[in-house]
Amino acid sequence: MIPFLKMHGLGNDFAVFDARKQRLAFDATQARQIADRRRGIGCDQLIVIEPSSDADAFMRIRNPDGSEVEACGNATRCVARLLLDETRKQKVTLQTVAGILVCEDAGGGAVTVDMGAPELSWERIPMAEAVDTNRFTLTVEGESLTASAVSMGNPHCVLFVDDADAAPVATLGPKIENHPLFPRRTNVEFVSVRDKGYLRMRVWERGAGITQACGSGACATAVAAFRRGLTRDHVEIELDGGVLSITLKDGHVFMTGATALAYSGTFAFDTK
């Protein structure tokens, strides 16, 4: 029986395992079993906290399809909350595949994460061909869409639409995720601008589908909106699960939002 914590950031939920004192190396098949909402714990991502010689801890992330991903903003806040409470520090560092993130207690259970500098060049996102990532045309089944692309350690394709609530996230999301222009697939954000300081966003996450929130997606959206002149350098972004505050400062993206511990438990793999 392996202990775990079930946590969420604005409804974006995670099964969190601590491998700092015991070795836990889940493969893709085991990750899919844990993430299964009928036969496993059920989660948007599987998170494993590991030792790090360069930070307070290392965070490994797997999607429900078993694939390993570089970054997850909401999971970063959740794991940072655990480390902040454990160490009684005001600030901790968390290493991911995408790099080391500085996380600070924002009070009331909230956490601010310096998500680093966004990548804006098509090669670094990465994309299959040279485009102006600020605004380019994406052709999906004969339909031309205007999009922006940003990497926050993981790729994002941002579409500005009239009404995010009416956007075809479930049908268009997977088509864009697997578009040939994105060789590593992509997360997809559907965004409507309410005013210069407020956005409404829905998301199709790479390897996970529709989720209640996406922290790195909110950061990418804030960057894309600011580049287009649609918003200021501080914006509130309303997701299905709640609101994140995003600030662009000194070339970095800072994300502030709530975290929650839903429950703790133990898990045993089905070996049948």
Side-chain angles (χ1 to χ4, degrees):
M1 301 294 288
I2 307 171
F4 72 91
L5 299 175
K6 184 66 179 292
M7 301 189 74
H8 72 88
L10 306 185
N12 190 193
D13 63 336
F14 314 103
V16 182
F17 292 82
D18 192 343
R20 288 175 294 173
K21 295 182 180 179
Q22 60 173 332
R23 186 176 181 274
L24 298 173
F26 300 123
D27 60 24
T29 300
Q30 291 171 320
R32 288 193 293 270
Q33 186 176 337
I34 290 169
D36 191 302
R37 293 192 182 275
R38 294 186 181 276
R39 298 178 181 273
I41 298 168
C43 59
D44 290 326
Q45 274 88 26
L46 161 67
I47 308 299
V48 181
I49 308 173
E50 300 176 358
S52 171
S53 58
D54 300 314
D56 287 291
F58 184 94
M59 181 178 73
R60 195 169 300 280
I61 312 159
R62 282 190 182 270
N63 276 330
D65 65 0
S67 60
E68 188 168 355
V69 294
E70 309 91 339
C72 178
N74 287 319
T76 300
R77 292 201 320 280
C78 286
V79 174
R81 182 73 267 161
L82 293 176
L83 297 178
L84 288 165
D85 292 344
E86 177 185 287
T87 62
R88 298 179 182 268
K89 295 180 180 179
Q90 181 66 24
K91 186 180 295 186
V92 295
T93 54
L94 190 56
Q95 185 178 12
T96 70
V97 173
I100 294 178
L101 303 174
V102 178
C103 312
E104 190 169 357
D105 192 339
V111 175
T112 296
V113 180
D114 179 352
M115 294 288 286
E119 291 284 359
L120 303 176
S121 66
W122 68 271
E123 303 99 326
R124 301 279 294 180
I125 287 173
M127 303 178 75
E129 61 185 62
V131 300
D132 177 359
T133 60
N134 185 39
R135 184 191 295 264
F136 62 93
T137 299
L138 185 68
T139 302
V140 180
E141 296 187 345
E143 182 181 2
S144 295
L145 306 171
T146 300
S148 298
V150 179
S151 173
M152 291 303 308
N154 55 352
H156 295 269
C157 180
V158 183
L159 303 178
F160 291 99
V161 299
D162 291 334
D163 184 0
D165 290 297
V169 180
T171 55
L172 193 54
K175 294 174 184 176
I176 297 175
E177 175 193 352
N178 295 286
H179 194 282
L181 191 57
F182 298 97
R184 295 183 187 171
R185 300 185 294 162
T186 186
N187 301 280
V188 189
E189 286 77 36
F190 298 80
V191 186
S192 51
V193 180
R194 300 282 175 84
D195 59 47
K196 284 278 191 179
Y198 202 89
L199 301 174
R200 170 73 172 110
M201 178 190 123
R202 296 178 65 208
V203 62
W204 177 273
E205 284 202 57
R206 178 183 57 167
I210 295 174
T211 59
Q212 291 287 297
C214 177
S216 61
C219 293
T221 291
V223 171
F226 183 74
R227 292 183 78 199
R228 292 269 198 99
L230 301 174
T231 56
R232 298 184 289 268
D233 58 5
H234 175 80
V235 65
E236 304 288 309
I237 300 184
E238 178 190 342
L239 303 104
D240 288 350
V243 176
L244 286 174
S245 295
I246 310 295
T247 300
L248 311 181
K249 183 179 179 182
D250 299 329
H252 282 218
V253 185
F254 295 84
M255 170 191 60
T256 301
T259 65
L261 171 61
Y263 60 87
S264 61
T266 56
F267 182 78
F269 286 103
D270 183 356
T271 57
K272 295 180 182 179

